[in-house]
Every structure is written in C-alpha cells, then in structure tokens.
Amino acid sequence: MSEQRFKVSLTPHSKFIFSTSGSASSIERHNSALQKLELNLLYFTFPHEIAAKDYADLLRSPISRGGAVTGKDGLKSKIIPFLDEVEPIAKKTLAVNTVVNENGKLHGFNTDAIGLKTALENALKSTAHSIKTAAIYGNGGVSGVAYHILKDLGLRVVLTGRSPEKVNAKKEDLGIKDDEISAPYDLIVDATPISSQPNFLDAKGFSELLNNCKMLFCHNMPEKDNKPNFLKSYCEENNIEFIPGSAMYKAQLVRQYQLFIGDISAEVIIENWNLTD
C-alpha cells in the first residue's frame, strides 16, 4: 500500500510554520485549518532530531513565519541563546516552545504556561477534593513550567523523576527547591511520555507517586493518534481524577496561533482546528 500524503500548494509568498514533532494526523490537522482560513501558511514537521542552532537558523530564514519547539534532547532550553528576545515566563522556566519570526528577528514564547494554567485552574475549581500538595514527575521543559504554575496556584510542590541526577540539575538550573512535604501527594503532574507505554508502572519511582493521590495531569496525548493512554485507564480503574493533556493543548494552541497569525480570535481558531470537544 502506498503512503498517503497531505498535499499543499506553494506560492512565492508562502511562509512555513515548522515543528520538531508531528504525526501524519497533526500535519493534516494544521494544514487543513490553515487552508480553510485561506492563509498562505504551511505546516511542516521534522520527525528527526535537529540541533538548536540549525533550527534557529531555519526559523530565521525568509521562508519561515516561526515554529513550534518540542522537548526532544532539551531543545526548548538549548534554542534560547539563539533567539533575539524571550518573554519573561520562558526565561523563568528555561523553556521556549514557540518561536515567531518578525522580519528576521526571533521571538521566543512559552504557550505551555497558559495552557497548563488553564487546565489546572479548571480542574481545581471543579474537584470536590482538597488539593494542597503536588509532585511533578519528569525533568523536561514542561516540568519547569508546571512548577511555577503550581506555586502560583498556591500549592506546595516537589519535583522528581526516574533520574535523580537530571532532576537535581533541573532544580539547580531553575533556581528552585522542593517544599518540605512528603507522600502521599494530592496531585501528580506527569510531564513524560510514559502514558503510551503499557509498562509505565515500571518507571522508577512513578508507581509510588500514584499511591493515594487524588488527581493526575497527563501531559502526553497518545489518544491524539488513536493510541491507548494506559495511564488514563489506570486512573479510571483506581478512582483518580484524570486531567488529559487535551485540557492544556486547546489553550496553548490558541495562544500559539494568535502569535503566528496575529489578528485572529480564539473562537475562529477553536472552530477551524476542531477544538470544541
């Protein structure tokens, strides 16, 4: 069977929005929305790793409107020295996930922050549980964002993961330290891709975090590509309130495309990217 590909039309004035991650479904989703809006923008992904400087050079080129930066090999942090301006929350968390090319100058943003804040605020407002403490599992770009958002929401927080050395290095880089709390934690923020793995409970230290927790946020979204989310199933079976990554994705994508496109409402983005669920 031949591979199906999404077709786009190029003009001399076409601009690209690049991404360092993306499945066939995301390529179709983004390009379909851009076409419906009759924008001369094309979404293009790199499934392989790319060096921070190489990616920044590409994003600075005349054909680029900007790009999304994913957490492969610490790229969200590594790209920062190659940008011209970086917004305060991205500097604070050492994580840029969106770069916009404004006439050859690169501006770095972190739209994960507004996405995660929206998801957690909504969950905390709707739950019947008392949520006072949280543990973040993982040491990637989202973990730093999660720490500051949780602290802003008034929670006491610890940062942990399968590699204590990497977690401690992350804390040092961010200038943060754990609050003096111990398990069980009310809320767990999983900032890793382990939910797509059937043996996720084997991840070092993770199963202990799940004991007696009340709520869990899962950053990973395997269901977006019609794959099972094993962590979601576990939470449903064990009466743990589950906050899906999609609760974060909607708000962050709206902010991201407002940065790329400019004068466009959240309602138009929600409709054209089918974010109504």
Side-chain angles (χ1 to χ4, degrees), residues 70-103:
T70 53
K72 291 181 181 178
D73 194 33
L75 190 60
K76 290 183 179 182
S77 296
K78 290 180 179 179
I79 199 169
I80 291 176
F82 303 103
L83 306 180
D84 298 293
E85 293 186 16
V86 179
E87 70 169 344
I89 186 62
K91 285 183 179 179
K92 192 176 184 180
T93 59
L94 298 179
V96 163
N97 78 321
T98 303
V99 176
V100 179
N101 181 337
E102 296 287 0
N103 300 314

Side-chain angles (χ1 to χ4, degrees), residues 3-275:
E3 182 182 357
Q4 291 186 344
R5 304 193 178 195
F6 192 85
K7 295 182 179 180
V8 296
S9 298
L10 284 169
T11 76
H13 303 290
S14 296
K15 298 275 188 179
F16 284 86
I17 294 172
F18 295 100
S19 175
T20 54
S21 176
S23 62
S25 63
S26 67
I27 292 171
E28 182 171 354
R29 179 190 192 119
H30 289 281
N31 280 306
S32 293
L34 293 168
Q35 288 180 356
K36 282 189 287 184
L37 291 170
E38 298 183 344
L39 296 169
N40 200 3
L41 292 170
L42 309 172
Y43 181 86
F44 186 87
T45 68
F46 293 92
H48 54 275
E49 291 186 3
I50 183 170
K53 184 180 185 305
D54 292 340
Y55 194 40
D57 287 345
L58 174 64
L59 297 180
R60 198 184 296 276
S61 67
I63 65 169
S64 172
R65 175 56 182 150
V69 187
T70 53
K72 291 181 181 178
D73 194 33
L75 190 60
K76 290 183 179 182
S77 296
K78 290 180 179 179
I79 199 169
I80 291 176
F82 303 103
L83 306 180
D84 298 293
E85 293 186 16
V86 179
E87 70 169 344
I89 186 62
K91 285 183 179 179
K92 192 176 184 180
T93 59
L94 298 179
V96 163
N97 78 321
T98 303
V99 176
V100 179
N101 181 337
E102 296 287 0
N103 300 314
K105 289 190 176 293
L106 297 185
H107 300 255
F109 301 89
N110 190 305
T111 64
D112 284 338
I114 190 170
L116 185 57
K117 184 177 182 180
T118 300
L120 293 177
E121 278 185 331
N122 290 340
L124 293 175
K125 287 177 184 176
S126 63
T127 185
H129 294 300
S130 176
I131 306 296
K132 302 294 184 183
T133 62
I136 303 164
Y137 188 81
N139 57 273
V142 173
S143 61
V145 174
Y147 177 87
H148 288 286
I149 295 300
L150 290 168
K151 294 295 289 182
D152 287 346
L153 292 173
L155 275 68
R156 290 177 291 160
V157 187
V158 299
L159 181 61
T160 185
R162 71 182 89 192
S163 172
E165 296 81 9
K166 290 182 178 179
V167 170
N168 288 333
K170 183 77 174 186
K171 293 176 189 176
E172 187 174 344
D173 288 343
L174 293 175
I176 63 175
K177 62 180 181 178
D178 292 339
D179 288 316
E180 294 183 1
I181 54 175
S182 58
Y185 306 105
D186 299 325
L187 167 66
I188 306 302
V189 173
D190 175 30
T192 75
I194 61 175
S195 64
S196 59
Q197 303 166 10
N199 62 338
F200 70 90
L201 288 173
D202 293 338
K204 185 178 179 180
F206 189 65
S207 61
E208 292 85 345
L209 293 179
L210 297 177
N211 292 333
N212 297 312
C213 77
K214 302 168 184 175
M215 179 181 287
L216 181 142
F217 171 80
C218 177
H219 172 250
N220 193 32
M221 294 187 294
E223 57 271 33
K224 194 169 67 169
D225 294 311
N226 298 314
K227 297 178 180 179
N229 188 318
F230 296 100
L231 183 51
K232 178 182 179 182
S233 299
Y234 177 92
C235 289
E236 292 171 347
E237 293 166 4
N238 290 274
N239 199 30
I240 299 171
E241 287 191 33
F242 182 82
I243 311 169
S246 57
M248 170 182 172
Y249 178 73
K250 178 178 178 178
Q252 80 84 20
L253 187 138
V254 166
R255 172 63 176 149
Q256 193 170 61
Y257 270 94
Q258 286 178 330
L259 290 169
F260 287 141
I261 296 171
D263 186 17
I264 187 170
S265 70
E267 292 74 19
V268 170
I269 295 173
I270 289 168
E271 177 184 355
N272 285 279
W273 269 264
N274 298 317
L275 301 174

